[in-house]
Amino acid sequence: GHQEKLSATGIFAPTSNRYTTDVEGNPNGKPFHGDYFTYGAACSEVEVDILTGEIQTLRSDILFDVGKSINAGIDIGQIEGAFAWGIGYYLFEEPLMDSKGVDRTQGVWEYKPPMASEMPRELSVELVRDNPGPAPVGVLGSKAVAEPPFMLAYSIVGAVKKAIAAARKDAGASTVFDLPMPVTIDAIQRACAVTPSQMKC
């Protein structure tokens, strides 16, 4: 009759190891790693409470290359989700080990994804439009978008490090410091080098 198929299915399977080579151009790693790169950039602005170590991400702006987007709404949602996942990973998900090296994190019971209040107050995502990339790409010219934006959440950690360095400079401490991962509230507070003598009125 008059029935039309309104959906389509496509699968992209990498066929080469083109982008995983050593400095001499020899294949490096497993075959079929991928036929293209994805690219992205992010910039974040944070406020750090140097007394408590609490942070508030005021704004994050993300630009990401998805090739030729099949559905911009889905791609933007995937980028936002990966960015949120990265925030949890870089700032909250602390594996706890006992003195014998046994993981006491209790699996997903201690998994700490960011709450709404810990997400950027303003989150702007823009796609690099119609960029097919340097090599043949995936389904209808699109590129992978689920996990690659995860690393862009490190822009928040970079902003926190800059704020800590400024606080340390104001306190007369060295601007060179160690900061463990994840960058938890207590780690931020300790890194700020705030002393009780600085609290005098």
Side-chain angles (χ1 to χ4, degrees):
H2 297 290
Q3 296 179 352
E4 297 291 332
K5 185 175 181 181
L6 298 178
S7 65
T9 304
I11 297 173
F12 173 67
T15 57
S16 75
N17 200 21
R18 178 175 183 167
Y19 292 112
T20 55
T21 60
D22 61 21
V23 293
E24 296 172 355
N26 301 315
N28 184 18
K30 297 179 181 178
F32 312 126
H33 178 75
D35 287 339
Y36 59 83
F37 286 126
T38 59
Y39 301 92
C43 182
S44 295
E45 178 182 355
V46 301
E47 284 182 350
V48 176
D49 185 328
I50 63 171
L51 300 179
T52 65
E54 294 179 285
I55 68 165
Q56 176 65 62
T57 305
L58 303 179
R59 180 182 177 103
S60 291
D61 294 284
I62 302 168
L63 177 66
F64 201 78
D65 166 29
V66 297
K68 292 183 178 179
S69 179
I70 296 173
N71 186 318
I74 290 175
D75 289 341
I76 289 171
Q78 288 289 306
I79 292 166
E80 291 171 343
F83 195 77
W85 174 32
I87 291 171
Y89 178 79
Y90 290 126
L91 300 175
F92 305 111
E93 298 172 27
E94 183 175 19
L96 302 173
M97 305 289 183
D98 66 15
S99 60
K100 296 179 182 176
V102 177
D103 185 358
R104 298 297 182 188
T105 309
Q106 300 180 19
V108 295
W109 289 107
E110 288 297 316
Y111 174 70
K112 294 181 174 61
M115 296 185 294
S117 62
E118 294 160 338
M119 289 295 291
R121 288 185 186 169
E122 293 180 52
L123 178 59
S124 173
V125 178
E126 188 173 334
L127 304 178
V128 175
R129 292 300 207 164
D130 300 324
N131 177 15
V137 292
V139 178
L140 299 177
S142 66
K143 291 185 177 183
V145 70
E147 293 180 2
F150 168 91
M151 294 173 285
L152 299 179
Y154 196 83
S155 64
I156 294 175
V157 177
V160 168
K161 285 182 173 183
K162 290 286 188 182
I164 292 171
R168 291 176 65 89
K169 184 176 180 182
D170 290 347
S174 170
T175 56
V176 177
F177 57 95
D178 290 326
L179 195 60
M181 293 297 285
V183 184
T184 56
I185 290 172
D186 56 325
I188 293 169
Q189 193 279 328
R190 284 192 305 271
C192 286
V194 176
T195 63
S197 63
Q198 294 172 283
M199 305 306 145
K200 294 178 181 177
C201 296

